[in-house]
Amino acid sequence: MDVLRPTLIRIGGRVYRKNLIQEQAYQHEEEEDFCAGSSDCADEPCDAFVVDETEKGFQCRVEVPSPLYKYIIGKKGETKKRLETETRTSISIPKPGVEGEIVITGQHRSGVISARTRIDVLLDSFRKKQPFTHFLSIALNQPAIQEKFLQFKEEVLEKCSKDHGVSSSLFQNPAKLHLTLGTLVLLNEQEIQKACDLLQRCKEDFVDQIAGGKPLTVEVSGVEYMNDDPAMTDVLYAKVHMKDGSDRLQVIADQLMERFVASGLMLKEWDRVKLHATVMNTVFRKDPSAEERNNTMTGKSSFKERESFNGRNILKLFENFYFGEVQLDSVRLSQRFSSDTSGYYATSGQLTF
């Protein structure tokens, strides 16, 4: 990292610079420390969070999912000790696996605020490294769509199986055909419930009005590829559009993304949601249960391990393949690496329209 141009992190409207500490990695990950930028109020009273005055000084409580405790503790407790020493506070962390609050106490309000700010930055950094656990999805696994998808698969294998890399292992499980609106890292039941509650608020605030209280009729038609060279394709997807020619589905998807990003439950990846239904993906070649991963910020990408396929003939022959018409009536909070009785992803919550 260029010390003259450190990485900047934005949290709660404030900017922080990230400094790398040269020490042994903790559980194969770099332990990082952060310093507040000059425009920050880390050592001054700040209304970004609640600091209570007590008989012995000041106290601040932080809700933290138990899987993230280890990043505040550090190797042999070094991170926690350093935070306490440098901010002159005491930090109480629940036992591993026990959900609860981290409690920061100190004689000086500025020290408690500084400790809280640094903990927030640490948590934000390490949360981004977690693989996503859930995603907002719209199911496209209705029987008629599945039937046409299986026809598409059969015809592709019949006409293009001799093309480089094309095999039956590339195709999506028809029971899991879907649109992904965004991915989330939800690390405990409280965060899952928060996402479910937000879905319901979105339904009341704008989804019902845009959808008009009725299912949306869409057509799934045509295929397209993700990367620049069709001869080296990794992802082939079916295109989705409203039958009435409107952009209502796109508007709902974009506004859902914006609300979830604003809540802190989702990282913003693009200005607009790319509505697509993956039908072929090279990650399925090695792991049929894998989902495509748009967010390269959370976890390491597996693109280097992929074996691309030549999609030129598929695109030429099936450019306008018609998968069918379908009524969309819900957005689901789907759990990654799961299945329900229908074969679709297990649902933690949903909004209907």
Side-chain angles (χ1 to χ4, degrees):
M1 180 182 73
D2 187 344
V3 295
L4 297 178
R5 297 179 180 177
T7 301
L8 299 180
I9 298 177
R10 299 177 185 273
I11 299 179
R14 302 193 300 277
V15 179
Y16 304 88
R17 60 180 180 271
K18 181 171 71 172
N19 299 327
L20 184 65
I21 286 189
Q22 300 297 328
E23 58 182 76
Q24 185 175 353
Y26 170 60
Q27 292 191 352
H28 307 294
E29 297 187 74
E30 292 177 333
E31 185 177 342
E32 295 164 337
D33 193 15
F34 303 83
C35 296
S38 58
S39 62
D40 177 60
C41 56
D43 295 317
E44 301 175 2
C46 181
D47 60 1
F49 34 77
V50 176
V51 177
D52 298 316
E53 188 169 3
T54 65
E55 293 181 358
K56 297 182 179 180
F58 297 89
Q59 183 182 89
C60 184
R61 296 177 175 271
V62 192
E63 288 189 5
V64 179
S66 59
L68 297 181
Y69 293 165
K70 62 183 180 181
Y71 301 118
I72 306 304
I73 297 170
K75 183 182 178 183
K76 297 181 180 180
E78 291 173 358
T79 302
K80 178 174 175 288
K81 291 176 185 176
R82 187 171 66 252
L83 285 171
E84 290 175 324
T85 300
E86 295 179 357
T87 62
R88 297 182 180 180
T89 59
S90 175
I91 301 173
S92 175
I93 301 175
K95 294 180 180 179
V98 178
E99 296 297 336
E101 295 178 317
I102 290 178
V103 182
I104 308 166
T105 56
Q107 294 184 352
H108 302 284
R109 180 183 176 89
S110 60
V112 172
I113 290 175
S114 180
R116 168 63 191 267
T117 301
R118 293 178 66 178
I119 286 174
D120 283 350
V121 178
L122 279 169
L123 293 174
D124 180 75
S125 174
F126 285 111
R127 179 181 283 276
K128 289 177 180 177
K129 295 181 180 180
Q130 306 300 310
F132 75 88
T133 60
H134 295 72
F135 56 101
L136 294 183
S137 75
I138 297 178
L140 292 176
N141 64 343
Q142 294 78 358
I145 299 294
Q146 288 197 48
E147 184 178 348
K148 291 292 289 185
F149 169 77
L150 291 173
Q151 177 188 333
F152 168 77
K153 177 180 178 180
E154 181 180 352
E155 292 184 12
V156 167
L157 292 176
E158 178 184 340
K159 299 176 182 179
C160 306
S161 60
K162 293 183 180 180
D163 295 341
H164 175 77
V166 174
S167 71
S168 61
S169 63
L170 296 175
F171 290 85
Q172 172 70 282
N173 178 345
K176 292 191 171 182
L177 288 166
H178 68 279
L179 303 175
T180 297
L181 307 187
T183 59
L184 305 94
V185 177
L186 305 177
L187 299 176
N188 59 19
E189 290 300 322
Q190 289 85 348
E191 292 189 344
I192 293 173
Q193 187 58 52
K194 183 179 178 181
C196 292
D197 293 343
L198 181 55
L199 265 182
Q200 294 310 310
R201 289 200 299 274
C202 290
K203 169 182 169 66
E204 298 167 2
D205 291 348
F206 61 86
V207 173
D208 280 345
Q209 181 180 357
I210 296 172
K214 300 177 181 179
L216 301 178
T217 303
V218 304
E219 291 183 316
V220 185
S221 178
V223 294
E224 189 56 86
Y225 62 106
M226 283 288 190
N227 54 306
D228 297 330
D229 185 359
M232 297 290 289
T233 299
D234 282 314
V235 176
L236 192 78
Y237 62 90
K239 295 181 285 187
V240 179
H241 60 271
M242 290 287 299
K243 187 176 181 179
D244 64 8
S246 72
D247 63 350
R248 287 185 296 158
L249 179 59
Q250 184 71 56
V251 171
I252 289 174
D254 289 342
Q255 291 195 21
L256 281 171
M257 178 193 69
E258 290 172 4
R259 287 290 292 271
F260 272 79
V261 169
S263 74
L265 290 170
M266 184 183 293
L267 291 175
K268 186 169 185 177
E269 303 170 51
W270 316 106
D271 291 333
R272 303 188 74 194
V273 175
K274 185 177 181 63
L275 295 174
H276 68 284
T278 298
V279 293
M280 298 174 70
N281 193 329
T282 53
V283 301
F284 297 150
R285 197 190 301 276
K286 291 186 177 180
D287 183 3
S289 68
E291 291 93 16
E292 66 177 292
R293 187 176 190 82
N294 292 328
N295 186 0
T296 58
M297 295 179 66
T298 51
K300 295 183 178 179
S301 172
S302 59
F303 277 86
K304 292 182 180 179
E305 302 173 4
R306 292 185 171 193
E307 179 192 347
S308 300
F309 65 94
N310 187 343
R312 290 184 183 276
N313 284 333
I314 298 175
L315 289 163
K316 181 179 179 181
L317 296 172
F318 300 93
E319 179 181 7
N320 298 311
F321 187 90
Y322 188 71
F323 291 90
E325 177 183 311
V326 65
Q327 304 284 319
L328 304 182
D329 62 2
S330 66
V331 176
R332 309 186 192 193
L333 178 62
S334 299
Q335 183 179 334
R336 194 182 187 196
F337 301 132
S338 67
S339 296
D340 60 17
T341 54
S342 73
Y344 194 69
Y345 302 97
T347 301
S348 298
Q350 64 178 336
L351 70 79
T352 57
F353 46 83

